[in-house]
C-alpha cells in the first residue's frame, strides 16, 4: 500500500525526497497550516518501500497506508 505524507504535519524538511528510490515525492504549492513547506507522495508511483518513513525526522508526518484524506495534492 502506498505511503502518505500528512500535509498538516509535514515540515518540508525534504529528507524523504532524495531518499525515495522512485522519485515520487513532490513539493506542494504554498504553505500548510504550520506555515511550512509541504510535500506529497504520488500514490500511483510509490512502491511502498518505507524508506521515506525511516528518514523523516518529523513524528507522524508519514503514514504507511494510502490516506488521501490526510494528504493534499496540487
Ligand atoms: S515528510 Fe518528513 S522528510 Fe518529507 S518533507 Fe515532510 S517532514 Fe520532511
Ligand atoms: S514508500 Fe518508498 S517509494 Fe513510496 S514514497 Fe516512500 S520512499 Fe518513495
Amino acid at each position: 500500500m502506498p505511503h502518505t505524507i500528512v500535509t498538516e504535519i509535514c515540515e518540508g524538511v525534504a529528507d524523504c525526497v532524495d531518499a525515495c528510490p522512485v522519485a515520487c515525492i513532490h513539493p506542494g504549492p504554498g504553505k500548510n497550516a504550520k506555515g511550512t513547506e509541504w510535500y506529497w507522495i504520488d500514490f500511483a508511483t510509490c512502491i511502498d518501500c518505507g524508506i521515506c518513513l525511516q528518514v523523516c525526522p518529523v513524528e507522524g508526518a508519514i503514514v504507511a497506508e494510502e490516506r488521501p484524506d490526510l494528504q493534499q495534492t496540487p
Side-chain angles (χ1 to χ4, degrees), residues 3-22:
H3 284 43
T4 294
I5 292 178
V6 183
T7 304
E8 301 306 342
I9 296 180
C10 178
E11 296 183 3
V13 181
D15 288 353
C16 58
V17 177
D18 290 336
C20 177
V22 295

Side-chain angles (χ1 to χ4, degrees), residues 10-51:
C10 178
E11 296 183 3
V13 181
D15 288 353
C16 58
V17 177
D18 290 336
C20 177
V22 295
C24 71
I25 305 177
H26 309 289
K31 303 281 172 63
N32 62 15
K34 288 168 121 175
T36 72
E37 310 277 321
W38 55 280
Y39 286 77
W40 60 281
I41 291 170
D42 176 3
F43 296 141
T45 307
C46 176
I47 57 171
D48 193 26
C49 68
I51 292 172

